[in-house]
Amino acid sequence: MANQKIAILGAGPSGLAQLRAFEAARRAGVKDLPEIVCYEKQNDIGGMWNYTWRTGLDKNGEPVHGSMYRYLWSNGPKECLEFADYSFDEHFGRAIPSYPPRAVLKDYIMGRIDKEAILKYIRFECPVRWVTYDKSSKKFTVTVMNHKTGEQETNEFDYVVVATGHFSTPNMPYFDGVEQFPGRVLHAHDFRDALEFEGQNILLVGASYSAEDIGSQCYKYGAKSVTISYRSNALGFEWPEGLEEKPLLTHFEGNIGHFADGSSKQFDAIIMCTGYLFHFPFLPDELRLQTHNCLYPDNLYKGMFFQNNPQLIYLGMQDQYFTFNMFDAQAWFARDVMLNRIQLPDTDTCRDDINEWLSRYDKTESCNDSIDFQASYIRELVDATDYPDFAVEKQADLLKQWLLDKQENIMGFREKAYRSTVTDTMATELPGRWLDIKDDSLEGFMSLRFVEPHKESA
Ligand code: FAD
Ligand code: NA7
């Protein structure tokens, strides 16, 4: 192993999980570890959780990675993303509510990183430009642009772990007349501050997490009206007055949007909440994962190992009910394959296994089925490694409750509290309505007077 080299592309939660997995092995006394280099486009760790005010291009002229915005609060209970080897209690030293704002979650992610042990592997401001594979040497060549030196660098690796995320390159549809729309037209990727839309009539196209959350944000921060236009299914929540759903937008005439049901409305701004493209501009076709946002991308054995070349490993490419702990489960499994502790089966057996998971996925009908599906995927990975066991099935139950809570009150679900499956600690409650708490900073949130949960909800 010692003379093996591994490239990790990206230092977001998935890339960090991979670094942490090797670090855990080192701490457990494994001596013969491979050499690791992690290339990161940004100048810090944290991936999507780094808030940036920039849109378009970054200071180096690279596409801005960040899609997160001010006032973003966790959209799922923190109890369902808790690291099994680093609890919220360990980080904060006391119980906090179940839905923290972005800065609080980022603080938690960063808290687990032993900076001294991990940062030395990361090369910041080094976007990966190109990756090739040589069949005879069985090695990858990775070329990066080092913006710190202004020079390109090329190195060879035995494994490449792609952890570059998939919520960064906008899927931007066209609607007739949009080019004449007189107001702002942007994608959710470029949305930064809901206050920009205070007093405006805004149209959100798309009906998934981004539309739900950006719509709620804009309502919270004073938009005059929010209209969500859906293509397949409405989100279907009981929205407060001022927020409504309409079927698909057909076209614009000036600032008037027309919808499939024949209705129309005047808008000041349009936000396309139409999802993201899987975009790997640094990969040639034969190495490139081609998929859409789903729970089991095809051609990935165990959701990670590229069928055409299992030395190429993709982390975090699934749509995500579970996040950080799923990335950990993947990273530990991937590490054990790279350390030869787990042997990958032959190509046909991998294909059969992928097919088996895809056919299970085909049978999922409801959101609850999807949650169970992802939980069983994680269970399989966790059972195969020494990642600390955690109650993924109980977390799946919490996610099902989360869905019910959103149905009950889409503007108030973040006031609910859940019990940690890792430490058994019951979360505290927010001291007031989520709608009324406007400061999303770490300091502001941690200085709130959290309320001990009522006995019955505990
Ligand atoms: P990312 O976090 O996207 O990190 C990828 C990293 O790769 C980045 O640091 C990027 O700079 C780097 N990179 C990209 N291209 C290159 C390149 N060519 N060369 C070098 N480096 C590169 N999850 C939750 O659990 N809770 C939430 O509330 C939540 N809210 C979300 C809200 C929004 C708006 C979005 C977009 C996502 C949200 N998510 C949420 C999901 C989020 O994507 C995951 O939590 C997590 O960030 C995924 O980690 P990742 O490491 O796979 O990808
Ligand atoms: P998603 O979950 O991939 O959803 C994309 C949505 O956009 C979905 O409702 C799509 O409708 C809709 N869509 C896509 N193309 C179109 C067109 N052409 N017209 C109308 N509607 C369209 O992306 P999100 O950004 O919501 O969420 C991604 C992550 O970001 C998530 O993890 C969050 O935590 C934050 P469909 O249902 O396919 O008809």
Side-chain angles (χ1 to χ4, degrees), residues 8-16 39-42 44-50 62 65-69 72-76 81 100 105 109 126-129 144 163-168 188 210 213-214 276 279 281-282 315-317 320-324 327 414:
I8 300 172
L9 316 188
S14 295
L16 291 173
Y39 295 113
E40 169 53 56
K41 180 165 89 168
Q42 304 182 56
D44 200 357
I45 57 175
M48 198 47 82
W49 292 89
N50 286 330
E62 303 291 336
H65 186 77
S67 303
M68 286 202 176
Y69 33 89
L72 181 143
W73 291 50
S74 177
N75 61 2
L81 52 77
L105 274 182
I109 303 168
C126 283
V128 180
R129 284 275 187 268
V144 305
T164 49
H166 58 95
F167 295 130
S168 194
S210 293
D213 198 56
I214 292 176
Y276 294 89
H279 188 57
F282 50 84
L315 295 188
M317 291 300 150
Q320 296 155 10
Y321 281 103
F322 295 87
T323 52
F324 306 156
F327 308 148
R414 287 185 171 95

Side-chain angles (χ1 to χ4, degrees), residues 90-109:
E90 185 177 346
H91 183 72
F92 290 105
R94 63 181 167 124
I96 66 165
S98 284
Y99 293 89
R102 182 199 57 79
V104 178
L105 274 182
K106 185 184 170 197
D107 194 66
Y108 170 63
I109 303 168

Side-chain angles (χ1 to χ4, degrees), residues 5 22 29 46 55 83 89 109 178 188 227 231 241-242 256 323 327 380 387-388 397 425 445:
K5 279 186 78 178
F22 280 108
T55 55
F83 298 120
D89 285 2
I109 303 168
V178 69
T227 304
R231 176 170 68 179
E241 205 185 323
I256 308 290
T323 52
F327 308 148
E380 186 177 83
Y387 186 67
D397 290 340
T425 300
F445 182 78

Side-chain angles (χ1 to χ4, degrees), residues 236-255:
F237 299 115
E238 258 185 54
W239 296 107
E241 205 185 323
L243 224 155
E244 63 172 341
E245 293 194 67
K246 281 182 181 288
L248 192 58
L249 177 74
T250 53
H251 63 286
F252 290 99
E253 282 175 321
N255 64 0

Side-chain angles (χ1 to χ4, degrees), residues 34-66:
E35 191 182 328
I36 298 171
V37 183
C38 174
Y39 295 113
E40 169 53 56
K41 180 165 89 168
Q42 304 182 56
N43 60 7
D44 200 357
I45 57 175
M48 198 47 82
W49 292 89
N50 286 330
Y51 171 77
T52 173
W53 59 271
R54 290 178 190 272
T55 55
L57 302 178
D58 69 14
K59 66 169 186 167
N60 293 317
E62 303 291 336
V64 166
H65 186 77

